[in-house]
Amino acid sequence: MQARTRIILVDEEGQKFFGEGPARLLHGVEEHGSLRAAAASMGMAYTKALKLLRNAEKALDFPLTIRVTGGRDGGGSSLTSEGKEWLERYESYRDACVQANLRLYSEFFPEQS
């Protein structure tokens, strides 16, 4: 037996807008320089990736990425400074929650540790 921690952030209406999927997507944008390539690397449709990103940006009220439409020189995406900071804060919070859960699990279920 083990306890797992999943951190999902919801808006005022209780609708999920951020979690591991969007975080991985943002890391993919950093790695690939493209939302389309990031989505493809996750096996996700570009339209779904764009919807996730827009939903998060709407809830947060700031842009997570800068998107440049393709053309002669090609397009691409990169994280905004706010997007980078948000991702770092989310991951630090998530990691702290995981560590707290491990401590609590050991406290409440010492025979399982």
Side-chain angles (χ1 to χ4, degrees), residues 26 29 35 53 57 62-67 77-80 83:
L26 291 179
V29 168
L35 181 60
L53 191 58
E57 289 176 336
F62 60 82
L64 294 168
T65 63
I66 299 168
R67 297 180 285 280
S77 296
S78 60
L79 297 186
T80 62

Side-chain angles (χ1 to χ4, degrees), residues 32-90:
H32 300 289
S34 159
L35 181 60
R36 186 175 303 280
S41 74
M42 295 173 65
M44 180 186 297
Y46 172 74
T47 53
K48 180 176 180 179
L50 188 57
K51 182 178 178 181
L52 284 174
L53 191 58
R54 286 183 175 161
N55 188 39
E57 289 176 336
K58 180 181 175 191
L60 294 168
D61 201 29
F62 60 82
L64 294 168
T65 63
I66 299 168
R67 297 180 285 280
V68 178
T69 305
R72 182 176 176 199
D73 297 323
S77 296
S78 60
L79 297 186
T80 62
S81 59
E82 295 97 338
K84 287 179 184 179
E85 180 185 349
W86 170 260
L87 184 57
E88 289 172 8
R89 288 174 54 202
Y90 166 79

Side-chain angles (χ1 to χ4, degrees), residues 6-53:
R6 290 183 61 199
I7 301 301
I8 299 169
L9 301 175
V10 298
D11 62 19
E12 291 78 22
E13 289 83 39
Q15 298 298 312
K16 176 183 171 181
F17 75 88
F18 206 85
E20 284 304 304
R24 285 182 43 226
L25 187 62
L26 291 179
H27 279 294
V29 168
E30 280 189 309
E31 180 182 343
H32 300 289
S34 159
L35 181 60
R36 186 175 303 280
S41 74
M42 295 173 65
M44 180 186 297
Y46 172 74
T47 53
K48 180 176 180 179
L50 188 57
K51 182 178 178 181
L52 284 174
L53 191 58

